[in-house]
Amino acid sequence: MLAAISAAPRPANVYSPITNIQYALVQKDCAISSPLSVSDAYAATDRTVPTRIRRHASYDRELVHAILDADYLCHLGFVRDGAPVVLPTLYARVGERLYVHGSAGSRPLRGAGEDTGLAVCLTVTHVDGLVLARSAIHHSINYRCVVVHGVARQVTDPVERSAALDALIDHIVPGRAADSRPANVKELAATAVVALDLHEVSAKVRTGDPNDDPDDLALPYWTGVLPVTRTYGEPVPADDLDPSITVPGYLTER
């Protein structure tokens, strides 16, 4: 997930992509890999067991990782001044930890910087199909989602923060971190990263056809699934792009 460091030396006052060896040291020294024991499944808790349609729930670690790795937009929920707030933001998974991008001036990120951290609920959802039943009440969607409960903390260690920022960029467009100008001191001061360990986690998935009532099966209405997929178009160059700069392979190969 993390890009290799470029051959040209980077100034000391900016972050740069790190090598696999450096990343291993980050995992050891900064605990990017969660200290939680790793098994095939996450433990179910009162907050991760759904109150309805429990058959759609899963705690399988591989499934959770696959759902998280297939997207880069999450919704981060927390309580501010006694009221719930949910914000869309970018994220990346590194081992058993999520990194969430934000502004240093953001209230939730400031709260995550306190000693107690910030209690949050993070969700990621993919819509895979519109499920059209014969009856209006049985319309649904096919989806994959993950819900993570926990306490977020602001990342202050410079090495972990550098690795997390690269992970965020490369999670969205693999290879981009090494193919862009690194952030300068002013930009880094305005940017914050929050870490959330994958401990209290669940996935929920729905697939398949509509669930019509037996009495509705003879009704003269079309029924089935309308698939929903995400596609990327052709890269559109900026108006001020130097014509000699070609589209990088990591975009044409998406």
Side-chain angles (χ1 to χ4, degrees):
M1 179 177 290
L2 298 179
I5 191 167
S6 60
R10 299 277 187 168
N13 62 343
V14 297
Y15 86 87
S16 63
I18 60 177
T19 65
N20 291 335
I21 294 177
Q22 289 174 306
Y23 177 56
L25 294 175
V26 171
Q27 288 183 308
K28 178 181 178 181
D29 297 337
C30 301
I32 280 188
S33 285
S34 171
L36 304 171
S37 60
V38 176
S39 63
D40 292 338
Y42 296 100
T45 70
D46 289 341
R47 293 196 296 186
T48 61
V49 176
T51 56
R52 61 183 300 273
I53 317 182
R54 294 189 178 186
R55 68 181 183 276
H56 290 170
S58 173
Y59 307 93
D60 180 80
R61 191 177 303 272
E62 185 176 354
L63 174 63
V64 167
H65 289 181
I67 294 173
L68 291 173
D69 293 348
D71 209 336
Y72 41 76
L73 178 68
C74 70
H75 286 84
L76 184 70
F78 55 95
V79 175
R80 182 175 68 188
D81 298 332
V85 178
V86 179
L87 299 177
T89 188
L90 300 173
Y91 74 92
R93 180 183 70 87
V94 178
E96 289 298 313
R97 181 165 293 170
L98 295 181
Y99 288 104
V100 180
H101 174 269
S103 165
S106 141
R107 183 175 295 189
L109 294 187
R110 291 201 305 270
E114 299 172 356
D115 292 340
T116 56
L118 179 68
V120 300
C121 178
L122 182 147
T123 64
V124 173
T125 304
H126 305 268
V127 176
D128 296 320
L130 307 181
V131 181
L132 310 180
R134 293 175 177 86
S135 64
I137 198 64
H138 287 311
H139 281 62
S140 185
I141 61 171
N142 285 338
Y143 64 91
R144 293 161 290 143
C145 73
V146 165
V147 178
V148 184
H149 297 274
V151 176
R153 65 170 181 82
Q154 191 168 156
V155 178
T156 57
D157 180 274
V159 180
E160 182 184 7
R161 192 158 172 257
S162 173
L165 288 168
D166 283 340
L168 283 160
I169 295 171
D170 279 339
H171 180 55
I172 300 169
V173 181
R176 185 63 179 177
D179 192 34
S180 57
R181 176 184 66 78
N184 58 36
V185 172
K186 181 178 180 181
E187 291 166 338
L188 287 174
T191 304
V193 179
V194 162
L196 177 63
D197 285 333
L198 295 175
H199 176 50
E200 200 170 358
V201 188
S202 64
K204 203 172 181 183
V205 178
R206 188 205 188 278
T207 61
D209 289 340
N211 296 318
D212 274 311
D213 294 331
D215 292 344
D216 292 337
L217 296 182
L219 293 176
Y221 307 117
W222 188 92
T223 182
V225 176
L226 180 63
V228 176
T229 59
R230 173 188 288 168
T231 60
Y232 292 96
E234 292 293 325
V236 179
D239 291 340
D240 57 0
L241 178 68
D242 184 337
S244 66
I245 300 176
T246 60
V247 178
Y250 55 76
L251 291 182
T252 59
E253 296 168 2
R254 287 180 72 89

